[in-house]
Amino acid sequence: MFLDEMLWLYAWYWVSDIEKVKRGSMALKKKAVTGMKDILPREMAVRQRVLSTIRKVYGRFGFTEIETPIVEHLSNLLSKQGGDNEKLIFKVEKRGEKLKEALEKGDFENLSDSGLRYDLTLPLSRFYAENQGSLPSPFKALQIGPVFRADRPQKGRFREFWQCDIDIFGDASYLSEIDLLLAMGTVLQEIGFGEKYPFYIVLNDRAILKAMQSYAGFPEEDFSEISIVLDKEDKIGREGVREELLSLSYTKEQISRYEDCLYLVKGDKEDILKLQEKLGAHLDEEVGKNLYRIMKMVEESGKGAIPLRFDPTLVRGMGYYTGPIFEVRSTLFSGSIGGGGRYDKMVGKFIGVDTPAVGFSIGFERIIGILLEGEENTHSEGKIAYLVEKKVSEEKLSACLSEVMERRARGETVLLTQMNKNKKFQKEKLSSEGYNEFVEIYGD
Amino acid sequence: MFLDEMLWLYAWYWVSDIEKVKRGSMALKKKAVTGMKDILPREMAVRQRVLSTIRKVYGRFGFTEIETPIVEHLSNLLSKQGGDNEKLIFKVEKRGEKLKEALEKGDFENLSDSGLRYDLTLPLSRFYAENQGSLPSPFKALQIGPVFRADRPQKGRFREFWQCDIDIFGDASYLSEIDLLLAMGTVLQEIGFGEKYPFYIVLNDRAILKAMQSYAGFPEEDFSEISIVLDKEDKIGREGVREELLSLSYTKEQISRYEDCLYLVKGDKEDILKLQEKLGAHLDEEVGKNLYRIMKMVEESGKGAIPLRFDPTLVRGMGYYTGPIFEVRSTLFSGSIGGGGRYDKMVGKFIGVDTPAVGFSIGFERIIGILLEGEENTHSEGKIAYLVEKKVSEEKLSACLSEVMERRARGETVLLTQMNKNKKFQKEKLSSEGYNEFVEIYGD
């Protein structure tokens, strides 16, 4: 059985290696690879609880789960990227003859033809392009899994981290945005946000941002540069933004016309209509109406439990998105806990024909971090430990095992383990693992 | 928000790329990387159902889930391996200055210092060595995730596939083996094996195999070579094994003494005692007693639902295991659907001190393959589709959305989508996706 696998293991794990390790001639490393982390049971319990809620809730909305390989074509990963970004990709080395050939030729650009995926959106678009014929239309996809970025390791920021995305392909109507926002809001509530950790969703459409810049008189070719400055407002304040724009030689008048737009907006959906009126021909009327309807429908059918705010300064990946964009924030901490929007042009990169697409990505690691800090209780109730004395008879052990198996069949969590000499200490440790009922089996 | 991430996405996805793709100047590939596969909703539903059963059942036995990084130190992965095995590792290229330096020096052995894990056992041992202080004792670990092998791609055999392991660290007693076997048997039953797909577990101890070879008079230094030949019996038959041993210059008498041992064994646990008597001083009495007790306890407390067979020819990774070994087979198909055993020497490779360890790995991909072939029904009952006509009023749409949200809150799966012109075809397609109730919302 599995003979080749067996031989292979045989070559790997040879008992005498222990000696080499002891002598230091083999370097087995205990720590995880730089920037990546081991996940211990307490955190895993929270992660799995959240993942199972996500699967359950998104399932009710008709999303079906798919999976793409962790390894992706390098040419897909590197399509149209600057020099700095290239450094973020973990490249997987070619093997055998192919590697030898590239090295011999000195063709060092060609040492690899694949790499670890850096997000779930690119592989999903490839997936849809490849499997479109076997998929329903609209296709509502849920994708959960690790992604990899060779970023500078920072506190709380890892090189391997999980993402959790929902996307709807093939529906150009605003029903997609509404459904996505309702799904996301429901998931956040069921995870524990809303009550314990208030959240709200910020919405915009990149066309509104563009129209405001156009109305202000900023030159169109500068829109992306300006957007990046405008997006800094929550960090450097409106005054800081103003100064930076002045230093980039934009006029006071341009800036003030831009700010006139902002003064109109408090965050309510009605502000979209006010702004639309002001912007006049600078903004396609349908854009404003569309965003207004999305907000109205989500507010009404979400029964107010999903708070929305219109924010015409929201930028969020200008080149990527083609319509409404949104970001989830919380009043309790800075930074976003998820975001997304419409990106109708991505699938076209693979199949040459554009396909409507709306997506939302949960900031999975951030949510887990918040729940862990909030000291979420991860222990299931009623964990039972059977402590078995060493000299117990076979008959007694067998009876005990049968009892344990019956309790497990009833859904109880039952640990069966040898009784230590220091029973008190053992029980204390088990208590800290969530065991609150003890059964002691003695040999007498 | 996420400004650097935003800029990065901005660089990647530039709408004008579509033009380049159309002109063929950019090569975006639709197919998954060679040897890896996209997983579509139907298969994912089966996978997730099995995974959730596994998590639930193992949880009741007191196993807690952990996770290790997919990327592992190359020195750990390559510790003591032959030339051929090196080819099975996906190496991850170094980046930046480190890569440049290795290339400039022509130090082509040093282009990478990490790689993708090829199994879950090595990372688990590293994990235990690193985190021992924060873990309970005994530590009962569940680990689920993808592993990678750059094998020749074959039908049904992929380069990225999932493994699902349970391991118990720190308990040298046979309680560990019993618990592991009961857990594994219960999981298989709850997945659907047992009734629909009968299974049985084959057990042995590598010491018994050794003792039989010693009794037969085979030279000790040949044991591993001989084991490999003996393991071929299910492929080439006992006659084939006999011939191969003869061709390797072992004597007829040696072979016949070995076969005398085999004739004693039909598979019942009582055969262990018979064999033990015959082997006399060649076998440590405790080894036989231990395996006998394990089988007895599992049979009794498993109420006969977990069929066991003693098979003294079972080999299964000689170098890796140090005690009882087991493999799960089915009467309906060839090959194993899982296996494991005791490996008390592995953790010592990391920390210099041996730690008792028993592990079992489910043949996850094989089980999924069997369930998929068995046409398991993956559709949940009662999926509802709301088809909304395009010209429906805002009021009506809002009322409809509220109704949909209420049904979802009650746990129903409700899809909301635009009504197509060819409604009949749309409903047929949705039926094939498991939707069996339709609600049509019209604009009038």
Side-chain angles (χ1 to χ4, degrees), chain A residues 1-2 5-8 10-13 17-18 21-22 26-33 38-39 41 44 48 55 59-61 64-67 69-70 72-73 75-77 79-81 85 88 90-93 95 111 118-119 126-127 130-131 138 140 149-150 160 162 179 186 224 228 231 234 293 297 300-301 303 317 319-320 327 329 336 345-346 349 352 394 398 401 405-406 408 411-415 417, chain B residues 1-2 5-8 10-13 17-18 21-22 26-33 38-39 41 44 48 55 59-61 64-67 69-70 72-73 75-77 79-81 85 88 90-93 95 111 118-119 126-127 130-131 138 140 149-150 160 162 179 186 224 228 231 234 293 297 300-301 303 317 319-320 327 329 336 345-346 349 352 394 398 401 405-406 408 411-415 417:
Chain A
M1 301 301 123
F2 285 146
E5 189 174 26
M6 196 194 78
L7 279 170
W8 189 60
Y10 186 68
W12 285 84
Y13 306 103
D17 286 349
I18 297 162
V21 176
K22 283 180 186 163
M26 271 181 65
L28 284 192
K29 289 176 182 153
K30 292 201 289 177
K31 280 208 181 312
V33 161
D38 291 328
I39 303 177
M44 266 315 270
Q48 284 305 326
R55 288 195 170 97
R60 286 186 203 147
F61 280 77
T64 54
E65 195 168 349
I66 63 132
E67 202 167 274
I70 282 164
E72 183 55 72
H73 299 288
S75 56
N76 287 355
L77 293 174
S79 54
K80 183 68 188 170
Q81 68 155 14
N85 306 319
L88 292 177
F90 284 101
K91 293 182 189 173
V92 173
E93 221 174 80
R95 293 158 304 281
L111 300 178
Y118 60 85
D119 75 1
R126 185 196 55 64
F127 175 96
E130 170 70 7
N131 300 295
K140 300 177 81 174
R149 294 183 192 173
E160 173 179 348
W162 281 54
D179 221 27
T186 309
S224 349
I228 290 161
D231 196 46
D234 57 327
R293 284 193 202 114
M297 297 289 161
E300 284 175 7
S301 51
K303 305 236 160 83
Y320 180 88
E327 199 165 280
R329 297 185 191 155
S336 88
K345 304 283 185 182
M346 169 97 83
K349 288 172 73 176
E394 284 186 18
S398 189
L401 277 166
M405 286 299 283
E406 273 162 30
R408 286 167 174 167
E412 293 177 293
T413 296
V414 187
L415 180 77
T417 190
Chain B
M1 301 300 125
F2 285 145
E5 189 175 28
M6 195 196 77
L7 279 170
W8 188 62
Y10 186 69
W12 283 84
Y13 307 103
D17 286 350
I18 296 164
V21 175
K22 282 181 187 163
M26 271 181 66
L28 285 192
K29 289 177 183 153
K30 293 201 290 177
K31 279 208 181 312
V33 160
D38 292 328
I39 303 177
M44 267 314 270
Q48 284 305 327
R55 288 195 168 99
R60 287 187 202 147
F61 281 78
T64 53
E65 193 167 350
I66 64 132
E67 201 166 274
I70 281 163
E72 182 56 72
H73 298 288
S75 57
N76 287 355
L77 293 175
S79 54
K80 185 66 189 172
Q81 69 155 13
N85 306 319
L88 292 178
F90 284 101
K91 293 182 187 171
V92 174
E93 220 174 81
R95 293 159 303 281
L111 300 178
Y118 60 87
D119 74 2
R126 185 196 56 66
F127 175 96
E130 170 71 7
N131 300 296
K140 300 177 80 173
R149 293 183 193 171
E160 173 178 348
W162 281 55
D179 221 28
T186 309
S224 350
I228 290 161
D231 195 47
D234 57 326
R293 282 192 203 115
M297 297 289 161
E300 284 174 7
S301 51
K303 304 239 162 83
Y320 178 89
E327 198 163 281
R329 296 183 191 155
S336 86
K345 304 283 184 182
M346 169 96 84
K349 289 171 72 176
E394 282 186 19
S398 189
L401 276 166
M405 286 301 282
E406 272 163 30
R408 284 168 175 166
E412 292 176 294
T413 296
V414 187
L415 180 77
T417 189

Side-chain angles (χ1 to χ4, degrees), chain B residues 91-109:
Chain B
K91 293 182 187 171
V92 174
E93 220 174 81
K94 287 180 181 172
R95 293 159 303 281
E97 282 308 310
K98 280 189 179 176
L99 178 65
K100 215 173 134 194
E101 203 182 295
L103 285 172
E104 276 169 2
K105 279 190 192 160
D107 185 7
F108 298 154
E109 299 296 306

